[in-house]
């Protein structure tokens, strides 16, 4: 049985190696490549709430604000030189026009304060230019390739988003389901950072060509740390 307390104590400052590159994993759902002063986030989905509201599914209209606030806090704490947003940063092509002036101003201040790279996603193949930064299909740094949608294994050095990974595990009879980072050491699939982004269990068949078998870990996000759990201990939905 998984001893959650022991796992937390053993991984108070979790570091994940992808092709020899050490990422510090943040419980907020970001990855920090300290050697490059590079902060990585995925699937921000700005204005998802307003998109749902336009279709008659009212949600509290604060998801963009909450997501920006978490980004601001991480930027203040880590002082990154570069931020890479791995696609689907905007929920659709009209998201920037639904964003409140206050939220747009905060995002602009943040994006112009560092080297910001927007990776094109399937929701935002052309990220809006109003917020500055560079737009790329993918970014290569040493052995790493940063892109939105993960490619079938082997895809050595890939850091991607798109699938919104989450994981479920049973601890002392209680089932816990959390967003997670998923990695076999050769690639990492990032959790969605957006406040309203959902999650797809890492045991779903969508991952079969990406993380074959059970030779990987789900790095599950807690309130204060990130806990690695072997795929063999996980539960399907």
């Amino acid at each position: 049985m998984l001893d959650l307390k022991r796992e937390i104590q053993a991984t108070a400052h979790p570091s994940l190696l992808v092709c020899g590159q050490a990422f510090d994993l943040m419980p907020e759902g970001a990855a920090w490549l300290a050697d490059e002063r590079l902060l990585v986030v995925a699937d921000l989905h700005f204005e998802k709430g307003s998109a749902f509201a336009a279709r008659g599914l009212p949600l509290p209209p604060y998801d963009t604000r909450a997501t920006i606030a978490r980004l601001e806090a991480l930027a203040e704490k880590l002082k990154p030189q570069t931020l890479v947003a791995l696609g689907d940063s905007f929920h659709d092509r009209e998201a920037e026009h639904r964003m409140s002036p206050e939220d747009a101003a905060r995002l602009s201040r943040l994006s112009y304060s560092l080297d910001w790279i927007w990776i094109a996603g399937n929701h935002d193949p052309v990220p809006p230019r109003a917020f500055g930064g560079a737009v790329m299909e993918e970014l290569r740094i040493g052995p790493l390739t940063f892109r939105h949608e993960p490619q079938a294994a082997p895809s050595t050095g890939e850091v991607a988003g798109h699938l919104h990974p989450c994981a479920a595990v049973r601890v002392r009879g209680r089932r816990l389901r959390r967003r997670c980072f998923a990695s076999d050491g050769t690639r990492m699939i990032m959790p969605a950072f957006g406040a309203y982004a959902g999650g797809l269990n890492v045991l779903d068949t969508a991952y079969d060509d990406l993380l074959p078998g059970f030779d990987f870990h789900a790095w599950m996000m807690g309130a204060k740390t990130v806990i690695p759990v072997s795929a063999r201990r996980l539960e399907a939905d």
Side-chain angles (χ1 to χ4, degrees), residues 35-167:
D35 288 347
E36 301 287 341
R37 302 208 61 77
L38 178 76
L39 184 63
V40 188
V41 293
D43 298 280
L44 301 171
H45 282 274
F46 291 135
E47 294 304 308
K48 182 174 183 176
S50 63
F52 274 60
R55 298 200 299 271
L57 299 171
L59 292 172
Y62 308 119
D63 55 309
T64 293
R65 189 163 304 172
T67 300
I68 293 172
R70 286 162 53 229
L71 286 171
E72 290 172 333
L74 280 171
E76 176 64 26
K77 178 170 69 173
L78 297 172
K79 302 292 191 298
Q81 177 178 327
T82 305
L83 186 146
V84 177
L86 293 177
D88 286 3
S89 299
F90 297 84
H91 189 66
D92 55 45
R93 297 192 187 202
E94 298 301 315
E96 64 172 315
H97 303 300
R98 299 193 305 273
M99 193 178 294
S100 74
E102 178 185 350
D103 292 343
R106 289 175 66 180
L107 179 57
S108 290
R109 284 195 297 270
L110 181 59
S111 62
Y112 279 100
S113 70
L114 41 72
D115 295 330
W116 191 294
I117 298 172
W118 305 100
I119 300 297
N122 56 293
H123 280 254
D124 56 352
V126 185
R129 301 299 302 161
F131 301 106
V135 178
M136 300 182 180
E137 288 295 322
E138 62 182 38
L139 170 69
R140 295 180 183 272
I141 299 178
L144 302 174
T145 300
F146 299 86
R147 61 169 61 102
H148 175 60
E149 190 167 352
Q151 298 182 359
S155 193
T156 302
E158 179 183 82
V159 179
H162 182 61
L163 291 175
H164 302 196
C166 70

Side-chain angles (χ1 to χ4, degrees), residues 6 9 30 33 36 62 70 81 96-97 100-101 109 113 138 143 177 180-181 184 187 204-205 212 216-217 221 229 234:
R6 185 184 306 163
Q9 291 173 341
L33 191 61
E36 301 287 341
Y62 308 119
R70 286 162 53 229
Q81 177 178 327
E96 64 172 315
H97 303 300
S100 74
R109 284 195 297 270
S113 70
E138 62 182 38
R177 191 178 191 273
C180 71
F181 304 79
D184 61 359
R187 73 188 317 153
D204 187 272
T205 56
F216 70 93
H217 281 71
M221 294 161 52
V229 181
L234 301 178

